[in-house]
Amino acid sequence: MSNNLSDETAETPRAASRRARPNTGRVTITSLAKLVGVTKVTISRALNTPHLVSPDTLRRVQEAVRETGYIPNLAAGSLASNRSRLVVALVPSVSGSVFQETTEAITLALRQRGYQLLVGQVGYDESSEEVLIEEILGRRPAGIVLTGVVHSQNVRQRLVASDIPIVETWDLTASPIDMLAGFSHEQVGRQAAEFLYQRGARRPAVITPDDKRAMKRANVFCEAMRGMLGKDAIALRAVKAPTHLGDGRHALASLLETDPDIDAVFCAADSLALGVLIEARATGMAVPGRLRVLGYGDLEFAKDTDPPLTTLRIDGTRIGKLAAHMLIERIEGRDVEQPIVDVGFQLMIRSSA
């Protein structure tokens, strides 16, 4: 593999691997560099910033790493350079949620630039998030991605004082801690109300998770509907987050017991909308003829429900790419031209509403 060896005298990968291992069994960056025939700096670049080395060199380094079992000491590298290559992202849920697209996009974008992502699940309890943020700050990551906007003044002050690049996501404010890539939940609620009203909804209801961002969507939906219909109240059912389709079934059944004439439901999460569709079918309610159903999130199953679910889509992939780009720019000492980006949302009109 080394450039110093001719084809006739080149070692086999197994022999090269044995030669690269010292008596302790631990492969060092020095022995790896000798094996490949490059400097330790080149090895470090190939492992940490692969876009800065040639494709051929990168291939040879990666092959040597595989053959020797070399494990880089990331902690030592961080101490030597005074810069961590670890980014932390805090999300409410890591499985089957609207945040999965964002997490995957951040992971890929960071990996391409030699950074690693550590994901922490905080649920929907703000106090749990505050505790985890305190623990993270003590470990000095290169950057932090937060889901939602931080409202606690104490936590905001701690994050600002840390001087760690931070991106808040999945929400919108004119005064982020540092940078932001998100959208307006109030606008989502308003758009949902206007759409269902235009579709003929006159006795609407809303089913929502009880977390802060979902309640923003639900409350603005109710406010907008009251304004258009001239009603004092709009039926609302809040269920504990994270929600499941069973919650949607039970909530619709409860709403219909109170008001059997409900003709439209805005579900502030697609999981609830799926439950509403199942409950409507079980009780013989035609969708959309008798009941219009609108969701939020455009999860993977939304286009395949029966009928296909009309929902509000958030471009989680774009949020993730923006968050990663902002962090990398700041971490590497460059200015971020647009530190606040509203990605908006898209109404996916299908057959349920």
Side-chain angles (χ1 to χ4, degrees), residues 70-82:
Y70 173 71
I71 300 176
N73 187 340
L74 299 177
S78 297
L79 291 172
S81 64
N82 197 29

Side-chain angles (χ1 to χ4, degrees), residues 192-201 221 225 264-266 292 294 353:
E194 291 173 356
F195 173 76
L196 286 178
Y197 181 79
Q198 291 168 2
R199 288 297 172 111
F221 174 88
M225 273 296 187
V265 180
F266 169 47
R292 298 187 184 278
L294 173 63

Side-chain angles (χ1 to χ4, degrees), residues 80-331:
S81 64
N82 197 29
R83 176 189 292 176
S84 168
R85 304 199 72 81
L86 182 68
V87 170
V88 176
L90 300 184
V91 297
S93 176
V94 296
S95 62
S97 75
V98 291
F99 308 110
Q100 190 170 346
E101 275 188 39
T102 298
T103 303
E104 290 176 353
I106 295 173
T107 300
L108 179 59
L110 290 176
R111 184 187 301 149
Q112 291 172 342
R113 298 298 296 271
Y115 294 87
Q116 295 80 40
L117 182 70
L118 177 65
V119 179
Q121 178 173 293
V122 296
Y124 292 89
D125 183 352
E126 288 190 1
S127 61
S128 298
E129 183 180 54
E130 291 182 15
V131 170
L132 191 52
I133 286 174
E134 284 292 331
E135 294 176 352
I136 288 169
L137 290 177
R139 288 167 171 77
R140 301 298 302 176
I144 299 175
V145 180
L146 301 174
T147 302
V149 172
V150 175
H151 295 280
S152 165
Q153 191 59 34
N154 178 58
V155 175
R156 287 178 64 90
Q157 289 174 349
R158 292 279 289 130
L159 289 169
V160 171
S162 73
D163 200 33
I164 295 172
I166 294 166
V167 181
E168 293 165 283
T169 63
W170 283 85
D171 210 337
L172 196 63
T173 178
S175 55
I177 295 171
D178 185 7
M179 299 171 287
L180 182 144
F183 60 96
S184 169
H185 291 273
E186 291 87 352
Q187 281 295 104
V188 168
R190 192 170 293 109
Q191 176 71 58
E194 291 173 356
F195 173 76
L196 286 178
Y197 181 79
Q198 291 168 2
R199 288 297 172 111
R202 294 301 180 263
R203 298 187 73 90
V206 58
I207 304 174
T208 179
D210 64 356
D211 68 274
K212 183 174 294 185
R213 289 179 297 278
M215 290 303 299
K216 283 184 186 179
R217 302 190 288 271
N219 288 333
V220 171
F221 174 88
C222 291
E223 179 184 345
M225 273 296 187
R226 285 195 297 268
M228 289 184 287
L229 296 173
K231 288 187 174 183
D232 292 334
I234 301 297
L236 183 149
R237 291 291 185 276
V239 298
K240 187 171 182 58
T243 59
H244 307 282
L245 67 87
D247 299 319
R249 292 197 66 172
H250 300 319
L252 178 61
S254 173
L255 285 168
L256 291 173
E257 284 181 5
T258 304
D259 185 356
D261 294 325
I262 287 172
D263 60 5
V265 180
F266 169 47
C267 297
D270 276 355
S271 56
L272 294 172
L274 178 58
V276 166
L277 290 176
I278 293 173
E279 181 66 16
R281 169 163 291 192
T283 56
M285 296 183 72
V287 177
R290 168 65 181 79
L291 182 73
R292 298 187 184 278
V293 181
L294 173 63
Y296 161 85
D298 196 28
L299 295 184
E300 188 174 353
F301 62 76
K303 64 181 181 300
D304 297 315
T305 58
D306 185 19
L309 179 63
T310 297
T311 184
L312 292 145
R313 171 165 175 73
I314 311 301
D315 193 342
T317 297
R318 187 179 176 213
I319 290 176
K321 288 180 178 179
L322 282 168
H325 171 74
M326 289 174 173
L327 285 179
I328 292 170
E329 292 297 288
R330 282 286 312 281
I331 292 168

Side-chain angles (χ1 to χ4, degrees), residues 45-54 58 62 111-114:
R45 284 177 180 164
L47 296 175
N48 297 317
T49 52
H51 62 289
L52 296 180
V53 300
S54 70
L58 180 61
Q62 291 174 336
R111 184 187 301 149
Q112 291 172 342
R113 298 298 296 271

